């Protein structure tokens, strides 16, 4: 049976922890990510001497599954199928988009047949203000696992945020063409808008 001192300590700890749990998920327990109303996009920028003649690329990454856990230690987990990433780039022809798509999925970049799953699991969620958090976790990509930090804000029922990381950090060599005069930047930017299932 808990002593009065232990009970007070437990209640105090719970009250301190409650704002993080209640805010990041809205209720106690795990909630699935609403895939239909959530989005994740990857922005790939151009660089190089003749970059003015190249294009930036926007890639859609549909979320296959995910959950926000608010019981015990708050956490976020999501999975993306690398084979389902789609190059958007509406200014390009369908044939050019198809070529970029093939290169992205192939062994030069994602090698999606060998490494089909992209997985993120948080290991720390730090409140940074009202409806704002810094989420740290491990990203599994291209057969490698590395820490990533994500800034998250809750607005209008959506968790929105962004993160940046380098392709070379996950063993991916940024694409270059024309002898390196046109290439994509090493750093990628990921932006997301996530809703939770009701």
């Amino acid at each position: 049976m808990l002593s009065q001192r232990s009970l007070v300590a437990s209640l105090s700890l719970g009250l301190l922890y409650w704002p993080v749990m209640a805010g990041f998920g809205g209720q106690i327990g795990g909630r699935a990510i609403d895939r239909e109303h959530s989005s994740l996009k990857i922005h790939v920028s151009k660089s190089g001497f003749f970059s003015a003649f190249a294009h930036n690329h926007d890639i859609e990454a549909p979320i296959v599954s995910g959950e926000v856990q608010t019981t015990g230690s708050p956490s976020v987990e999501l999975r993306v199928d690398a084979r389902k990433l789609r190059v958007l780039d509406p200014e390009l022809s369908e044939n050019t988009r198809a070529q970029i798509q093939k290169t992205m999925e192939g062994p030069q970049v994602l090698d999606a047949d060998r490494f089909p799953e992209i997985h993120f699991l948080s290991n720390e969620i730090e409140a940074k203000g009202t409806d704002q958090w810094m989420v740290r976790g491990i990203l599994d990509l291209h057969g490698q696992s590395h820490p990533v930090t994500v800034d998250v804000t809750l607005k209008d029922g959506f968790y929105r945020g962004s993160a940046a990381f380098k392709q070379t950090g996950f063993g991916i060599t940024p694409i270059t063409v024309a002898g390196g005069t046109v290439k994509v930047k090493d750093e990628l930017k990921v932006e997301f808008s996530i809703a939770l299932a009701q």
Side-chain angles (χ1 to χ4, degrees):
M1 188 172 181
L2 286 173
S3 66
Q4 185 174 359
R5 180 178 293 180
S6 297
L7 182 60
V8 170
S10 297
L11 288 173
S12 298
L13 181 61
L15 288 172
L16 286 171
Y17 207 42
W18 173 264
V20 177
M21 292 194 298
F24 211 90
Q27 66 185 45
I28 299 301
R31 292 179 65 185
I33 290 175
D34 183 347
R35 295 181 300 158
E36 295 297 319
H37 297 95
S38 299
S39 64
L40 193 155
K41 290 184 180 178
I42 303 165
H43 303 286
V44 184
S45 299
K46 61 191 177 182
S47 67
F49 187 75
F50 291 112
S51 62
F53 302 99
H55 296 273
N56 295 325
H57 301 298
D58 290 328
I59 299 163
E60 184 179 48
I63 297 171
V64 173
S65 65
E67 183 180 66
V68 173
Q69 179 62 245
T70 56
T71 299
S73 298
S75 66
V76 179
E77 182 174 22
L78 60 85
R79 288 181 165 82
V80 171
D81 188 337
R83 297 165 297 186
K84 294 184 178 180
L85 270 62
R86 290 294 173 263
V87 176
L88 302 178
D89 298 353
E91 74 280 6
L92 299 180
S93 69
E94 185 175 343
N95 184 56
T96 301
R97 283 199 305 273
Q99 291 176 355
I100 296 170
Q101 180 82 34
K102 184 176 180 180
T103 301
M104 178 184 70
E105 293 175 351
Q108 278 185 282
V109 185
L110 290 175
D111 204 355
D113 286 336
R114 289 182 62 204
F115 308 111
E117 184 176 83
I118 301 170
H119 175 248
F120 175 81
L121 177 62
S122 68
N123 52 31
E124 182 184 1
I125 296 177
E126 178 184 355
K128 303 298 289 184
T130 303
D131 294 335
Q132 293 182 326
W133 299 269
M134 182 176 289
V135 179
R136 298 180 179 89
I138 300 299
L139 176 64
D140 301 320
L141 170 66
H142 194 245
Q144 298 193 22
S145 302
H146 296 289
V148 171
T149 300
V150 185
D151 294 313
V152 181
T153 301
L154 176 62
K155 186 177 181 180
D156 300 328
F158 288 87
Y159 292 94
R160 294 185 168 94
S162 63
F165 59 88
K166 292 186 176 182
Q167 299 178 70
T168 52
F170 290 86
I172 299 172
T173 302
I175 297 173
T176 62
V177 296
T181 57
V182 177
K183 55 187 176 181
V184 299
K185 290 183 178 179
D186 190 3
E187 185 172 85
L188 304 177
K189 184 177 181 181
V190 178
E191 293 182 337
F192 59 85
S193 177
I194 291 176
L196 301 182
Q198 300 299 317

